Amino acid sequence: MAKLVKKVMESDLSQSIVEIKDVTFSRGDRIIYKNMTFNIPKGKITAIMGPSGIGKTTMLRLIGGQLKPDAGDILFEGQSIPNMSRKALYAARTKMSMLFQSGALFTDMTVFDNIAFPLREHTQLSEDLIRLVVLMKLQAVGLRGAQDLMPSELSGGMARRAALARSIALDPELIMYDEPFAGQDPISMGVLVKLIKSLNQVLGLSSLIVTHDVTEVLSIADHVIIIAEQGVIGEGSPEQMQNHESELVQQFLKGLSDGPVPFHYPAPEYSEELLGVRNV
Amino acid sequence: MFDLLQKLGHKTLGRFAALGRSTQMLFGALVNKPNFKKGTPLLIRQLYMVGSQSLLIIMVSGLFIGMVLALQGYTVLVGYGAEDSLGPLVALSLLRELGPVVTALLFAGRAGSALTAEIGLMKATEQLSSLEMMAIDPLKRIIAPRFWAGFISMPILALIFSAVAIIGAHLVGVDWLGVDSGSFWSIMQSQVSFQQDIVNGMIKSFVFAMIVTWIALYKGYDCIPTSEGISKATTETVVHSSLAVLGFDFILTAVMFTS
């Protein structure tokens, strides 16, 4: 029995839901990624971290097929996302969902209707069944009592939880979280951390979290990928990352103000500029 | 000189690219298999938002424009002893020109700007992206019902505008200034041609509806998703659609009413 459990766990770790293969992506003249390669394991919580402006959200959009890479391939369950037809891409998107930084709830609908929306669009369920599913999802995020509120009546944390309920409405296989903890108070942050962990365990889905919040995400992640300098600079378990030899990884994880990522934006010599001002 | 030419070329290419993107947007929104079960409630909601909510401004403007038209027309006609022709003067001005044009200008200011701001904000708050990630095409879910609502409601609003304006003209011309009521209505009836005046006015309205709604939707869909970008897009909607309406009005008038 123990052997069987071990075998299942090993196979789980080796299976990937998303494979990023030699991806190069640029915006205008600026190269965001150059030959980037990594895998996102199935059934695990994977965290993508890195300094601001490095293109973490862009990676989620590439996986979701909203952007196309200049070169390389992105596989979702073995199928190439950039090479899919529009119909196939939409079919693949019903198996993944994304929690946007702003929540992206539809402002002209109540919380209930927001969560019922994907069910009404993609299933033939009766309204009675939809009501049951929505109430179950709202119960999971603790917002059953807020079902009749409009998004404008929710706090930031509640809006994000309502959006989380919507993103699990169709029981996806992959959830992508874009900065889920940004701008949250400690209580909301704690609730979200707990929810992400429990949803991953209970629903058996794969989670991909893009975030800056090192402490929170390391407490729940199974796998960590740190992106900088147009590629992956560190990858492994949270423990492996804490002891990683790269100075850049350590600067990011410990939040040091100076290091390989300099404190100062590139500028002429300070003394030269000060003297230059006096001469003027 | 070379720089100037380069800038001109760059701007022209930019305009063609925008025209291409807007055509692509409209094509993507309208060319699809109709789904009446899901589409009808969305269309009805937009007809209410775009059409019914513009009724008040259209009716009030129509009433005043009709009253002013009658007052000005009477002042000129009475000098020639031709005040009985006030009815056809007002009706022809409204049905051929003022009805479709003023309705389109008011529609651009009231509903067009609202459409641009709404879609721009949906873009800024990632609602359009979230629709895409839910495997729902925002062109079909958001753009298409708004386009059809504008296309259907503007000609109806133009007819209401003209009808209310004629009532306003009657109030001033007949009830206040004393033009004979029988002459007002009977000469209007004999001089106004259904085919030449009413149908051509309606055709103008349909063309303006398409132009204004298309510009409003494209400006919102293509805006830079920031507060400044949305503000700029909203202003551009009103300015571009007003100019386009006036330009197309000249072309259509030249085609329809010059023999």
Side-chain angles (χ1 to χ4, degrees), chain A residues 61 64 66 86 90 93-94 96 100-102 104-108 117-118 120-122 166 176, chain B residues 37-38 45 118 122 124-141 146:
Chain A
R61 293 192 184 276
Q66 288 187 300
R86 195 171 174 78
Y90 273 28
R93 280 180 184 164
T94 57
M96 56 170 95
F100 287 87
Q101 196 173 347
S102 60
L105 291 171
F106 301 123
T107 45
D108 57 344
F117 182 78
R120 287 177 179 144
E121 288 290 327
H122 289 301
R166 186 178 67 182
M176 296 182 276
Chain B
K37 196 181 162 197
K38 279 183 183 165
R45 183 179 159 75
E118 185 193 16
M122 287 180 90
T125 53
E126 297 177 309
Q127 292 179 51
L128 296 182
S129 288
S130 81
L131 274 175
E132 282 227 352
M133 285 306 297
M134 278 186 234
I136 297 160
D137 189 349
L139 291 178
K140 293 181 174 61
R141 186 72 173 57
R146 283 163 177 77

